């Protein structure tokens, strides 16, 4: 079934990773979905993005999560679509989704580690990105 997957645009790949983080703990929280929508609405990288694509990309991610080799297929689509200069951007957006509800769950931690690995994010860069997401989402 994974051979029939559509290809992703770079923005589709960014959305897919954000959705993957949200879905990774088997519960997509409202705060995470709001964070995804906010980033797509306001981040400059999404200025030309067709918002109608979010649903299709999300459905592709959920379909892949249900397949045995789906995670590998997802990362294949992401790596094919994303230029290397956007790898850290992808990780930053993914971290923001994970941090949106104020804490990271085990599934989210594992998914972020996999994104780091799959996109070859240097550990020091990852730590800086993670800290910036954490401080942006702090509450009183």
């Amino acid at each position: 079934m994974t051979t029939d997957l559509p290809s992703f645009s770079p923005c589709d790949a960014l959305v897919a990773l954000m959705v993957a983080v949200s879905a990774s703990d088997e519960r997509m929280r409202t705060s995470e979905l709001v964070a995804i929508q906010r980033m797509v609405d306001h981040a400059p990288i999404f200025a030309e993005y067709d918002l109608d694509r979010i649903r299709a990309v999300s459905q592709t991610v959920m379909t892949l999560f249900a397949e045995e080799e789906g995670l590998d297929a997802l990362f294949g689509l992401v790596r094919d679509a994303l230029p290397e200069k956007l790898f850290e951007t992808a990780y930053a957006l993914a971290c923001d989704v994970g941090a949106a509800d104020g804490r990271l769950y085990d599934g989210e931690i594992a998914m972020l580690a996999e994104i780091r690995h799959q996109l070859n994010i240097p550990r020091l860069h990852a730590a800086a990105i993670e800290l910036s997401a954490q401080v942006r989402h702090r509450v009183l």
Side-chain angles (χ1 to χ4, degrees), residues 33-45:
L33 298 175
V34 168
I36 292 169
Q37 188 66 54
R38 186 182 66 242
M39 287 184 271
V40 172
D41 287 345
H42 298 290
I45 192 113

Side-chain angles (χ1 to χ4, degrees), residues 115-137:
I115 293 169
R116 254 190 338 262
H117 171 73
Q118 292 285 336
L119 299 183
N120 202 26
I121 306 292
R123 190 63 203 128
L124 188 58
H125 295 201
I129 291 166
E130 292 158 9
L131 180 61
S132 68
Q134 198 176 48
V135 300
R136 264 195 308 281
H137 293 278

Side-chain angles (χ1 to χ4, degrees), residues 28-63:
M28 297 179 79
R29 290 166 181 75
T30 301
S31 57
E32 295 167 344
L33 298 175
V34 168
I36 292 169
Q37 188 66 54
R38 186 182 66 242
M39 287 184 271
V40 172
D41 287 345
H42 298 290
I45 192 113
F46 294 109
E48 304 297 318
Y49 190 58
D50 178 1
L51 298 178
D52 294 335
R53 297 278 308 143
I54 295 172
R55 181 178 296 274
V57 170
S58 297
Q59 289 173 337
T60 299
V61 171
M62 300 314 287
T63 298

Side-chain angles (χ1 to χ4, degrees), residues 13 16-17 22 25 35 37-38 47 55 57 62 72 75-76 81 87 91 96-97 105 134:
L17 289 177
S22 180
D25 61 354
Q37 188 66 54
R38 186 182 66 242
R55 181 178 296 274
V57 170
M62 300 314 287
D72 291 336
F75 281 112
F87 284 8
Y91 190 63
D96 277 344
V97 170
Y105 295 86
Q134 198 176 48

